[in-house]
Amino acid sequence: MDSQLLNPTSLKSRFTARFLRALTKINAPNPISSSSPTPREIFQRYRRIKVAADKSMAYSVRSRTTWSRATLSRLRTRSRHRRLASFGPRSSVTTAAVLKKTSSHGKENEGGLGVQAGELRELVPGGEAMDLCNLLDETAHYIKCLTTQVQVMKTIANLYSLE
Amino acid sequence: MELNAGTAGTGSLKTASERDEVAALESLQFTDEIRRLMSAPATDNASSFTALLELPAPQAVQLIHSPDSAKLIAAPPPAPNVDDFKGSFNFPFNSGLIERATRFSLFAGDGNINDNNKSNSPEPTSYNSSANLQKPVKSEPTETESYQPLVSDPTVENRSTKRKDREKVKGSTKKSKTGAKDSSDDAQKLPYVHVRARRGQATDSHSLAERARREKINARMKLLQELVPGCSKISGTALVLDEIINHVQSLQRQVEFLSMRLAAVNPRIDFNLDSVFTAESGSLMDSNFSGMVMPMMLPEVQLNGNRQQYPQQLHFDAFQQPVWGTEEVCNNYITPENSLLSYDSSGNSASLHSNQLKMEL
């Protein structure tokens, strides 16, 4: 009977739990029978949902990977920027400088793959300060997590649209 | 005596390049001396012949080590095969002697070049110490093959061929060497991975480390190829990386589109969803919806201690559990849900059944 049950501690279930809770949190303020929301509201909700998705995925991974740590710190500094607009630019500049120093040393032996490695670094969060070897590891885990995220969100969106 | 005078005359020439010629001259003088002795009546041929047999090795050694002290050649017994002997130290009845003689002559030539005239072990001075110490046997036959005809001309040709042979020996020893190389000796002491150097590859520590890194990177690329669909057919690291980048970009875009879609969906359904997964943990089994939702409920159900046996109780207990169990809860989360559930329970159950029907379709 319970053939479709997933492992309750797997990445998928952890992400689903967190994401659903976040979704309900985001959708809670709206009353049930509201008129169609304005595009502005939709855009705001879209941004919040996107942040919630990334955040819940990063929390499900905890700090095991560099990209999750980078995502979490990025989200935290962004929220901090929103609140303390005056102090924001300074911290971002210093972190960027530190990252550049570490990355230039670690990127020595790329072979002939410099262009692609640079693009990959931009895509994977926290990829600037990693050498090619670790970058490939991080990319593999990141792809796996992104696939899970897409799967879960697709299912939820389908459920919503069925109603 | 004449020989002594001759050698004394030649002994005055101490330059490195002319020492080879001295050795050649001495060999020629030796043959001349032998011829002279042969023409003279020789009585004890047999005994002198055997004496000659014993002579070559020590004679050659002394000849080479100290070309100016060739007084030892003073009484060379006659040899029956003096023609063979002319210009070369070939004694075909003793191949070991030949090898040693040729080797010594070679090294004499090179030793003269290197200004090591009287070194007792000319081999290590002319080759890399590691190569020699490890494979002296291998070097001997290669040398004797190429050097036997050249013994008579210990001049520049000797030097060049010797260099070639040195490189050949290096290559062969490289092939046979394992991780123990002179430049990477520290690699033996440290607990690192030992990489065997293949023939024709550099063996310094830098290239070894680079090769290990490249192998690690290639292994990871293989894993990535399996992850990304359609990547296993592509060959070449750059193209595979391009595919991986495209895949990551497409996944990120998909997440964005889906979140836009979720934002656009009517939020009314959301509460139903919430109540649905609180109430349906016991009832919904077959749909994929339950496949997604039930595992979420399981930890909360286990907190309660009852496993899908009392769905009625679960309707409220399980709902309250997550509220207190998580750290992300905020206060206004509770009130609308509770209020909704309290007065809309009938409506929820109705929509719940409709939802169930739709899923099973």
Side-chain angles (χ1 to χ4, degrees):
Chain A
M1 288 207 292
D2 295 350
S3 56
Q4 296 288 328
L5 273 181
L6 300 165
N7 179 14
T9 54
S10 77
L11 176 75
K12 200 185 234 180
S13 51
R14 289 202 308 261
F15 169 70
T16 319
R18 282 178 212 265
F19 185 56
L20 283 171
R21 273 182 226 138
L23 261 187
T24 50
K25 209 200 305 187
I26 290 169
N27 289 326
N30 299 335
I32 299 171
S33 57
S34 68
S35 56
S36 61
T38 64
R40 189 180 192 79
E41 285 173 16
I42 292 181
F43 183 70
Q44 278 177 352
R45 280 179 66 217
Y46 149 71
R47 259 194 305 167
R48 278 190 215 137
I49 289 176
K50 183 155 169 269
V51 163
D54 291 335
K55 202 176 197 179
S56 50
M57 179 48 85
Y59 265 117
S60 305
V61 179
R62 283 294 159 187
S63 295
R64 272 192 297 135
T65 54
T66 313
W67 67 263
S68 63
R69 272 173 267 152
T71 317
L72 286 174
S73 66
R74 198 188 290 178
L75 291 169
R76 281 193 195 120
T77 51
R78 224 174 261 168
S79 64
R80 223 186 300 140
H81 285 185
R82 291 245 177 88
R83 285 164 208 175
L84 314 165
S86 58
F87 293 100
R90 273 178 236 162
S91 58
S92 64
V93 160
T94 49
T95 50
V98 166
L99 280 175
K100 278 205 181 97
K101 269 184 217 164
T102 52
S103 68
S104 59
H105 172 71
K107 278 192 275 182
E108 277 169 8
N109 290 324
E110 284 178 4
L113 309 166
V115 179
Q116 287 94 341
E119 284 187 24
L120 202 56
R121 284 204 174 87
E122 284 170 29
L123 283 176
V124 176
E128 299 92 8
M130 280 192 283
D131 53 341
L132 189 62
C133 206
N134 294 329
L135 182 68
L136 292 178
D137 275 340
E138 295 281 327
T139 312
H141 194 259
Y142 187 57
I143 286 177
K144 181 180 145 199
C145 293
L146 274 182
T147 326
T148 319
Q149 206 174 357
V150 164
Q151 224 179 352
V152 169
M153 288 172 79
K154 216 183 264 184
T155 319
I156 294 175
N158 287 337
L159 282 171
Y160 273 155
S161 56
L162 273 175
E163 290 286 336
Chain B
M1 292 143 224
E2 291 153 352
L3 199 61
N4 289 347
T7 50
T10 53
S12 60
L13 304 167
K14 296 288 180 189
T15 56
S17 57
E18 287 171 47
R19 294 235 171 114
D20 307 325
E21 292 164 11
V22 164
L25 277 169
E26 278 164 8
S27 67
L28 288 171
Q29 284 163 2
F30 193 57
T31 56
D32 287 341
E33 188 63 19
I34 287 168
R35 279 221 190 89
R36 242 177 279 127
L37 287 168
M38 269 182 69
S39 57
T43 51
D44 301 326
N45 267 350
S47 58
S48 57
F49 182 63
T50 50
L52 181 65
L53 274 179
E54 291 170 28
L55 183 63
Q59 188 71 338
V61 167
Q62 282 162 357
L63 231 161
I64 285 149
H65 285 319
S66 51
D68 40 0
S69 65
K71 301 154 196 156
L72 299 162
I73 316 174
N81 50 351
V82 72
D83 289 334
D84 292 338
F85 187 62
K86 177 181 183 178
S88 71
F89 286 116
N90 279 344
F91 292 100
F93 34 81
N94 197 340
S95 58
L97 267 176
I98 291 167
E99 284 178 4
R100 234 180 297 151
T102 50
R103 199 173 2 117
F104 285 148
S105 65
L106 279 172
F107 294 144
D110 193 53
N112 288 335
I113 294 165
N114 294 336
D115 279 337
N116 282 339
N117 202 13
K118 294 183 183 178
S119 60
N120 277 330
S121 56
E123 295 179 42
T125 59
S126 49
Y127 288 91
N128 271 341
S129 57
S130 55
N132 267 333
L133 290 170
Q134 291 192 9
K135 299 285 172 185
V137 177
K138 224 177 189 177
S139 59
E140 282 175 6
T142 58
E143 289 164 31
T144 51
E145 285 159 16
S146 54
Y147 285 115
Q148 278 205 344
L150 295 174
V151 167
S152 55
D153 301 330
T155 53
V156 182
E157 294 162 17
N158 207 359
R159 274 175 247 166
S160 59
T161 46
K162 199 169 184 100
R163 239 172 261 131
K164 275 188 236 156
D165 192 65
R166 213 180 303 156
E167 284 155 10
K168 209 206 305 180
V169 168
K170 239 192 219 173
S172 58
T173 52
K174 242 182 244 176
K175 189 173 156 196
S176 56
K177 270 184 195 173
T178 56
K181 294 165 191 35
D182 52 332
S183 59
S184 61
D185 266 341
D186 39 348
Q188 263 183 331
K189 296 161 195 165
L190 296 168
Y192 288 162
V193 176
H194 290 289
V195 180
R196 179 181 272 260
R198 290 188 282 274
R199 188 186 173 91
Q201 289 187 340
T203 54
D204 55 328
S205 56
H206 286 298
S207 46
L208 273 180
E210 270 189 42
R211 206 180 310 125
R213 271 191 83 255
R214 255 181 273 146
E215 285 171 9
K216 270 204 280 182
I217 286 174
N218 285 336
R220 288 184 169 102
M221 290 288 293
K222 273 189 210 150
L223 288 175
L224 275 174
Q225 270 185 309
E226 288 165 25
L227 264 185
V228 176
C231 223
S232 44
K233 301 169 202 164
I234 301 174
S235 62
T237 335
L239 295 172
V240 167
L241 269 184
D242 279 336
E243 265 308 308
I244 292 168
I245 288 169
N246 283 338
H247 192 243
V248 169
Q249 277 174 340
S250 77
L251 282 175
Q252 284 176 339
R253 260 181 266 136
Q254 274 181 327
V255 168
E256 282 192 31
F257 287 147
L258 281 170
S259 58
M260 184 76 87
R261 205 171 137 196
L262 284 173
V265 160
N266 199 334
R268 182 188 74 90
I269 301 153
D270 188 48
F271 297 128
N272 285 338
L273 192 74
D274 201 45
S275 60
V276 152
F277 62 70
T278 54
E280 282 188 304
S281 57
S283 49
L284 258 187
M285 303 287 188
D286 294 323
S287 60
N288 51 357
F289 169 67
S290 69
M292 296 299 298
V293 166
M294 282 200 54
M296 203 214 87
M297 283 312 297
L298 273 178
E300 292 152 352
V301 168
Q302 280 160 12
L303 285 171
N304 276 338
N306 35 352
R307 272 180 152 268
Q308 307 158 1
Q309 289 169 11
Y310 307 106
Q312 307 300 326
Q313 283 177 354
L314 276 174
H315 187 78
F316 293 103
D317 291 349
F319 176 69
Q320 284 164 0
Q321 277 296 328
V323 168
W324 296 319
T326 63
E327 62 274 359
E328 300 173 34
V329 153
C330 59
N331 281 331
N332 49 5
Y333 172 57
I334 305 174
T335 41
E337 302 300 320
N338 274 335
S339 60
L340 279 166
L341 270 178
S342 57
Y343 79 81
D344 208 13
S345 55
S346 60
N348 276 343
S349 53
S351 61
L352 188 143
H353 291 301
S354 68
N355 194 16
Q356 193 178 0
L357 282 169
K358 278 179 188 163
M359 291 313 303
E360 283 166 17
L361 278 172

